[in-house]
Amino acid sequence: MSLLEVRELTVFHGQLEALHNVSLSVDAGEVLAIIGANGAGKSTMLRAVAGFHPPSSGAVLFDGVEVTGLPPERRVQAGIVLVPEGRRLFASLTVEENLLAGRYRSRPGSFDLDRVYELFPWMVERRRQNAAGLSGGEQQAVAIARALLVNPRILMLDEPSLGLSPLAARRVYEVLPELVSSGLGILLVEQDVRQALRLADHVKCLLEGRETLSGTPDELSLEQVESAYFGIADGSRRPMPTGEATR
Ligand SMILES: Nc1ncnc2c1ncn2[C@@H]1O[C@H](COP(=O)(O)OP(=O)(O)OP(=O)(O)O)[C@@H](O)[C@H]1O
Ligand SMILES: [Mg+2]
């Protein structure tokens, strides 16, 4: 039994079928990366797992218990935590105020402010600085740290490297292996395919709401991933998407 299991989920936004019969599972200590072009349905999947988009069919199970009908805050209490696309920090609050903003939702566990500052030592000196003054990569780190303070069991990251320089993206990604080895399950959405392939145990490609490819990074060739990503039969015509090139 997986920690998180999504069974044949279909989600509509009005008339638009954003996800069609997509299944996935994530175990504790495992990373599943969902990749795909703009509009593929990646954020819809994370938001549906978090409880923001009720599916028209299918189920979400957490620890073997169906949570499909639960509101978002109940899922957070269970340990399903989303770091949304675009980070969403409070710009006028300090770093530490942002970190503590989610404290009321916190579950018991090993993550507290001290542990977060151990993981991101630069935040200690800058904890009284406004979040608006941080770089994109620093903001992403604060968003991740804020999520960790909830003590999640499944952490969902929606395009953490979006808009970051390659170096800043690498820094954000650097902390993830340690979290995974401590037993956290990560459901990652990423357009930077190389970054996703480096970290993930399993990769799933979505195209227009449908799964086009699934496998371990070892099993999949770059050509296969590229065709699945763009929905083209001949993978040789376009360059691989990387963090710098996609947007
Ligand atoms: N709240 C909404 N209302 C209506 N349509 C939506 C809504 N959210 C997403 N969509 C549409 O659903 C489809 C999937 O969107 P989604 O945001 O899940 O894609 P994505 O893979 O995350 O794309 P991106 O890489 O641009 O973030 C798109 O066609 C999008 O326009
Ligand atoms: Mg998205």
Side-chain angles (χ1 to χ4, degrees):
M1 186 181 68
S2 296
L3 181 56
L4 174 69
E5 195 182 335
V6 172
R7 285 191 192 152
E8 300 186 341
L9 209 69
T10 294
V11 176
F12 279 85
H13 296 304
Q15 300 278 54
L16 178 88
E17 192 177 35
L19 284 177
H20 178 81
N21 266 352
V22 182
S23 299
L24 60 80
S25 64
V26 186
D27 278 315
E30 189 189 59
V31 181
L32 169 65
I34 301 179
I35 58 180
N38 296 125
K42 307 179 300 293
S43 297
T44 298
M45 174 57 84
L46 297 196
R47 292 176 51 78
V49 171
F52 297 111
H53 297 311
S56 62
S57 62
V60 180
L61 286 85
F62 189 62
D63 227 357
V65 177
E66 183 155 357
V67 298
T68 322
L70 290 187
E73 57 285 5
R74 292 278 302 281
R75 301 192 199 202
V76 172
Q77 280 162 16
I80 303 174
V81 178
L82 170 66
V83 179
E85 205 173 326
R87 330 197 214 298
R88 312 248 180 92
L89 298 183
F90 299 104
S92 61
L93 297 187
T94 66
V95 167
E96 191 160 284
E97 285 164 347
N98 267 285
L99 291 175
L100 293 176
R103 189 168 43 174
Y104 68 96
R105 309 185 304 177
S106 190
R107 302 156 23 84
S110 66
F111 269 98
D112 54 15
L113 262 188
D114 288 345
R115 173 89 180 82
V116 157
Y117 287 146
E118 236 173 75
L119 199 62
F120 302 98
W122 62 266
M123 281 182 203
V124 179
E125 274 174 34
R126 305 182 65 183
R127 64 189 189 279
R128 312 235 178 276
Q129 190 179 325
N130 270 9
L134 301 178
S135 71
E138 289 161 353
Q139 289 185 15
Q140 185 64 61
V142 172
I144 291 173
R146 180 174 62 180
L148 290 174
L149 281 168
V150 181
N151 278 296
R153 297 176 68 196
I154 287 281
L155 182 65
M156 298 192 286
L157 302 172
D158 198 345
E159 302 205 38
S161 72
L162 183 63
L164 303 186
S165 70
L167 177 66
R170 249 196 325 276
R171 290 230 173 98
V172 164
Y173 269 85
E174 255 166 29
V175 299
L176 300 180
E178 184 184 334
L179 300 173
V180 173
S181 59
S182 74
L184 187 68
I186 294 186
L187 179 52
L188 168 72
V189 159
E190 187 50 86
Q191 285 205 34
D192 183 339
V193 175
R194 289 175 204 280
Q195 192 73 264
L197 290 175
R198 264 200 296 275
L199 181 72
D201 300 293
H202 204 99
V203 177
K204 202 170 270 291
C205 198
L206 292 183
L207 179 74
E208 293 172 2
R210 287 160 197 260
E211 178 183 312
T212 48
L213 190 69
S214 179
T216 66
D218 290 346
E219 288 165 2
L220 304 174
S221 70
L222 284 179
E223 289 72 27
Q224 276 177 307
V225 174
E226 188 179 30
S227 323
Y229 191 105
F230 290 116
I232 49 177
D234 174 7
S236 65
R237 271 173 294 174
R238 289 197 240 181
M240 275 297 292
T242 67
E244 297 125 279
T246 41
R247 285 192 216 176

